[in-house]
Amino acid sequence: RLWWRSADRRVRLHTTLSLDADAHVLRCDVRGENRRRDHRLQLVWHTDVQAGDVYADAAFGPVHRGTVPRPEGDQQNSVHTVTETVPQGEPMHRWVAHATRERSVVMLSDGLAEYEVQPGRMALTLLRAVGELSRADLPERPGHAGWPSPVPEAQSQGVFEAQAGVLLTEGWSPSTRRAVHDAVDDLLLPLVGESWFDFTPPEANDSSQSWHRGGAALEGDALEASACTISTVDERAIVLRAINLADQDSVGAWVLPDDGPWLVTHCRLDEAPLLPNAEANTSASRASDGVVHGRRIELVLAPRDVLTIRLRREPGGPR
């Protein structure tokens, strides 16, 4: 455990570094108190990767981030020139990787969405203390956009905490990407055990039968499950969303708890059917009735494609 404080003693925190046996991720838990105003606080990791590509987790899979060019200036008139400073921070979801052919350094985060990557340095924004919007002296945009507005509640005063981690792995590849996905889940969504004292399975009194409880599972090396939630338009249905993270066609399947039958609808992100009043399965050849008998719904996704289906039991099937 390392203790830190700012020179003016208005920021105090400690970082707890943990490395479990056989784990691939160095975990860092941060807890502190902020009493400083109008500043940004970062957690910085120093690495030995001086040059490489940057990949960041985004809404529909990782994206390759390039260097943001700095504009030479905005000529407003013949007398006055305004030069904007490009912010160094970039957005991410759960991780960002600085990768070369030989090795990658991956920074993991529990929801903090701004990072900076520079040679030998990766930084995660822990908090921003903001006191006023639309100031005229912002280096990122000289000249205010409206009347300055105080936002004292945005100063991020008080206790704060965060969770982060670092993964050291091989050069960037599909196998590395899968390893990062697993590492993030291990860090942020660890497996836990619960005791359900009021739940009795149907076969509890029959020792000759095994029983298990499960839900929908996604198969496919390059496919990632993006959503599994109750439908907003049909309370009897669930929405399943899969994303192809690869740059080529990928095949896979949703594996369901039983044989159904299941009624499947191709949807947009807002659950609007892709074909009006048409029920369909997810194979290339559309089924006329949209009913799937069996535990598997086969998928074929184009590169970087997103596929959303709405799924419910066909009336008359098992409950």
Side-chain angles (χ1 to χ4, degrees):
R1 176 171 293 183
L2 304 176
W3 296 83
W4 311 80
R5 69 184 183 190
S6 61
D8 58 10
R9 298 175 181 260
R10 288 187 292 173
V11 179
R12 297 171 179 264
L13 62 94
H14 65 260
T15 55
T16 303
L17 302 176
S18 306
L19 184 62
D20 295 334
D22 294 329
H24 299 284
V25 177
L26 175 64
R27 172 174 171 169
C28 180
D29 293 291
V30 182
R31 184 173 178 84
E33 184 175 10
N34 175 51
R35 295 301 177 192
R36 178 187 285 177
R37 305 169 69 86
D38 300 310
H39 76 109
R40 178 178 63 163
L41 183 65
Q42 291 181 311
L43 174 67
V44 179
W45 303 89
H46 293 279
T47 77
D48 62 351
V49 178
Q50 298 298 319
D53 295 317
V54 177
Y55 300 90
D57 188 27
F60 299 110
V63 294
H64 181 218
R65 291 266 168 78
T67 302
V68 179
R70 177 172 180 152
E72 296 181 356
D74 179 18
Q75 186 72 32
Q76 293 186 337
N77 53 53
S78 59
V79 177
H80 182 60
T81 300
V82 175
T83 301
E84 296 183 355
T85 300
V86 178
Q88 295 299 313
E90 300 242 23
M92 71 174 186
H93 273 213
R94 301 196 301 171
W95 57 265
V96 60
H98 196 191
T100 66
R101 286 187 175 184
E102 296 78 21
R103 60 189 181 274
S104 303
V105 180
V106 186
M107 181 172 64
L108 317 178
S109 167
D110 63 351
L112 300 171
E114 182 184 85
Y115 74 87
E116 289 184 23
V117 173
Q118 299 173 0
R121 183 181 186 272
M122 303 182 78
L124 178 68
T125 299
L126 295 177
L127 62 85
R128 279 183 180 271
V130 179
E132 191 175 59
L133 296 179
S134 194
R135 285 167 41 190
D137 59 349
L138 296 176
E140 294 83 6
R141 182 201 31 78
H144 55 73
W147 291 109
S149 302
V151 284
E153 296 299 322
Q155 289 285 7
S156 301
Q157 301 290 284
V159 175
F160 64 90
E161 59 183 12
Q163 186 181 72
V166 165
L167 169 68
L168 306 180
T169 184
E170 60 186 9
W172 196 252
S173 67
S175 61
T176 304
R177 187 178 58 221
R178 290 192 295 272
V180 171
H181 180 274
D182 293 341
V184 172
D185 283 349
D186 290 342
L187 177 68
L188 304 180
L189 299 172
L191 293 177
V192 296
E194 296 179 342
S195 297
W196 292 6
F197 297 104
D198 58 347
F199 183 79
T200 303
E203 297 84 9
N205 298 323
D206 187 353
S207 60
S208 64
Q209 297 186 26
S210 61
W211 183 88
H212 71 277
R213 182 176 184 177
L218 181 63
E219 291 183 351
D221 289 341
L223 302 184
E224 181 169 300
S226 172
C228 180
T229 185
I230 298 174
S231 169
T232 59
V233 299
D234 184 352
E235 62 181 9
R236 299 174 300 168
I238 63 172
V239 173
L240 302 176
R241 182 171 299 123
I243 300 175
N244 179 14
L245 302 180
D247 295 324
Q248 61 274 347
D249 290 351
S250 296
V251 298
W254 281 108
V255 182
L256 306 176
D258 56 61
D259 293 332
W262 307 95
L263 194 60
V264 183
T265 306
H266 256 114
C267 294
R268 303 187 318 192
L269 294 178
D270 61 358
E271 292 191 53
L274 289 180
L275 292 180
N277 303 319
E279 304 291 343
N281 67 15
T282 54
S283 62
S285 58
R286 308 181 72 88
S288 58
D289 57 2
V291 177
V292 174
H293 296 267
R295 294 173 178 265
R296 296 177 62 85
I297 300 178
E298 303 295 334
L299 309 176
V300 179
L301 275 70
R304 312 292 293 187
D305 194 11
V306 180
L307 178 61
T308 304
I309 62 174
R310 187 167 63 242
L311 178 74
R312 66 177 172 89
R313 293 188 184 276
E314 176 72 350
R319 296 181 61 83

